[in-house]
């Protein structure tokens, strides 16, 4: 069995299901409760479909139950998946969302798929096997920091994390004058993968966000990008900062981020 090919097929099935159901206009939700209910009505069935397909493919792996719980188990094999990564964009009728599936072994991602149906992008990677976009190998581009397009984000829980909020603001102030542009292009997983393919020069983030970072981290690393924390140490699921950058940009980015307390 080619597990990666079968996972891609399952993720594509879920992506097609969600794409058919997406409204062209924003969800008419006036309150947080209405928005959450609308999201649950979409994400719940999609998540169950994805779980059923992947469990049938690889039943020995257990499931990380809550994407907002970043306590990724350090032992054993686990599926860490998000049927609607970029829920805010999905509910707003935008194209910047993705379906992700990551197989984690002993705390490290070993297989990852990030599929953005409306953008027709599918990134894949396996540990030690390189990274691909649409089946073709990808790699970061060599460039100077001044001409790099940077992407930055924040974890879903950042609004309740004063340290992450402060570091996010300080780092944006530090990075902005040093690069061509800073953008947030939707799902964290997709943006990190796009560092691996050279569409973005770098991505950085502060705060624990393992489940959103795991798939893109494997893809970027397998493509040849540097994947570390903000101090330059190898990134792990327990880190409270994240950096993915083309090798030509990594050292300069770390120097910029050293200004952040």
């Amino acid at each position: 069995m080619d597990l990666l090919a079968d996972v891609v097929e399952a993720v594509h099935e879920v992506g097609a299901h969600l794409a058919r159901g997406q409204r062209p206009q924003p969800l008419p939700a006036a309150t947080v409760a209405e928005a959450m209910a609308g999201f649950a009505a979409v994400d719940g069935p999609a998540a169950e479909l994805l779980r059923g397909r992947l469990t049938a493919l690889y039943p020995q792996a257990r499931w990380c139950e809550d994407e907002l719980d970043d306590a990724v188990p350090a032992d054993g094999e686990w599926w860490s998946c998000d049927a609607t990564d970029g829920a805010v964009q999905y509910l707003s009728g935008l194209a910047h969302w993705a379906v992700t599936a990551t197989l984690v072994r002993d705390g490290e991602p070993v297989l990852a798929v990030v599929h953005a149906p409306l953008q027709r992008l599918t990134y894949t990677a396996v540990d030690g096997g390189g990274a691909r976009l649409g089946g073709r190998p990808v790699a970061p581009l060599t460039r100077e920091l001044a001409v790099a397009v940077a992407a930055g984000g924040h974890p879903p829980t950042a609004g309740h994390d004063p340290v992450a909020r402060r570091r996010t603001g300080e780092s944006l102030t530090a990075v902005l004058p040093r690069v061509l542009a800073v953008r947030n292009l939707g799902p964290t997983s997709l943006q990190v993968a796009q560092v691996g393919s050279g569409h973005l020069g770098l991505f950085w983030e502060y705060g624990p966000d393992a489940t959103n970072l795991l798939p893109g981290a494997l893809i970027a690393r397998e493509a040849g990008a540097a994947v570390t924390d903000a101090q330059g140490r190898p990134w792990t699921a327990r880190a409270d900062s994240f950096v993915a950058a083309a090798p030509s940009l990594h050292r300069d980015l770390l120097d910029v981020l050293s200004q952040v307390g």
Side-chain angles (χ1 to χ4, degrees), residues 8 21 33 43-44 48 56 66 101-102 105 113 120 143 146 160 171 193 206 212 225 229 232 238 250-251 257-258:
V8 168
D43 184 71
E48 284 301 311
D66 187 349
T102 310
R105 181 176 297 134
V113 177
R120 299 182 180 179
R143 66 192 87 184
H160 307 289
S171 61
Y206 284 94
N212 284 320
D229 67 10
R238 289 164 178 74
H250 185 245
R251 183 69 260 169
L257 296 180
S258 67

Side-chain angles (χ1 to χ4, degrees), residues 135-154:
R136 296 184 178 183
V138 291
L141 294 181
T142 298
R143 66 192 87 184
E144 296 179 347
L145 193 62
V147 295
V149 177
H154 57 77

Side-chain angles (χ1 to χ4, degrees), residues 82-103:
D82 193 345
T84 319
D85 187 11
V88 172
Q89 292 82 247
Y90 183 92
L91 295 175
S92 299
L94 299 172
H96 299 84
W97 55 274
V99 183
T100 74
T102 310
L103 181 62

